Amino acid sequence: DPDRFVVPKTGTYTLLMEGYIYNSADLSYSFALNEVTDVVRAVALDQVIEGNVTAPGQRNKLTFSLATDTQVFFDTLNASGLRVTLNGPRGVEFGPQDLRYSDWQYGNAVRSLVAGDYTLTIEGTSGATGPYALQILTKASAETLEYGTPVSGVLDDQGARQTNYRVESTAPLTGGAGQAQRFDGTGPLV
């Protein structure tokens, strides 16, 4: 049963319905054929991106461009069961996969992308709809850490899984190659 399909040309189409050959009784059925309108919009990196798949079969296509090769951090901000796929100059960068499983705990949240145009497609499966929220962060949104300087804050992440904690930006370390590092944290494990 296709969740979504595109007719190849204008014309009249015939729908064929057939039951399983080993059914022992008559089966009731019902369906509706609905036109699907996709949402296409440009998004900015290093900003919260929110949206909503409002109809079964609808796709939200979020576009962005990279002028140079860029490392990004994909951060899911809610527990959406919608599916996500990222396409770019090299083809499929990741997906399709559940949006809620697209960041650090369940997959590789850090992606090295080449310069070019990208489309992040968010869609439901089996007629699913609903809201989503995410960020695509770059080093431009990171605060630089200085050795020996205490850093504190509140993890007010909008993620739905209470055991997952994320800092909303990547933080580059300063120091030369071969420099030993030690993370001295207090509070909950992050």
Side-chain angles (χ1 to χ4, degrees), residues 75-142:
D75 185 23
T76 302
L77 298 177
N78 69 354
S80 173
L82 299 172
R83 305 278 288 170
V84 61
T85 304
L86 179 63
N87 287 288
R90 297 182 291 203
V92 176
E93 292 288 341
F94 71 86
Q97 62 194 47
D98 279 5
L99 181 60
R100 65 182 159 215
Y101 301 138
S102 296
D103 60 8
W104 72 273
Q105 184 170 354
Y106 297 101
N108 182 9
V110 179
R111 306 284 176 166
S112 295
L113 304 179
V114 298
D117 296 327
Y118 289 84
T119 301
L120 185 71
T121 302
I122 300 175
E123 61 187 320
T125 57
S126 301
T129 61
Y132 59 86
L134 59 101
Q135 300 177 99
I136 304 171
L137 302 170
T138 67
K139 291 180 182 178
S141 65

Side-chain angles (χ1 to χ4, degrees), residues 50-72:
E50 295 178 303
N52 200 345
V53 173
T54 59
Q58 181 186 65
R59 292 178 178 162
N60 282 210
K61 296 182 179 186
L62 312 176
T63 63
F64 63 93
S65 296
L66 298 174
T68 61
D69 294 359
T70 305
Q71 192 172 59
V72 300

Side-chain angles (χ1 to χ4, degrees), residues 5-33:
F5 62 93
V6 177
V7 294
K9 61 182 180 177
T10 302
T12 301
Y13 287 82
T14 302
L15 175 65
L16 171 64
M17 297 188 64
E18 180 180 26
Y20 186 59
I21 195 168
Y22 294 108
N23 286 343
S24 60
D26 293 342
L27 298 173
S28 297
Y29 65 88
S30 67
F31 66 89
L33 182 62

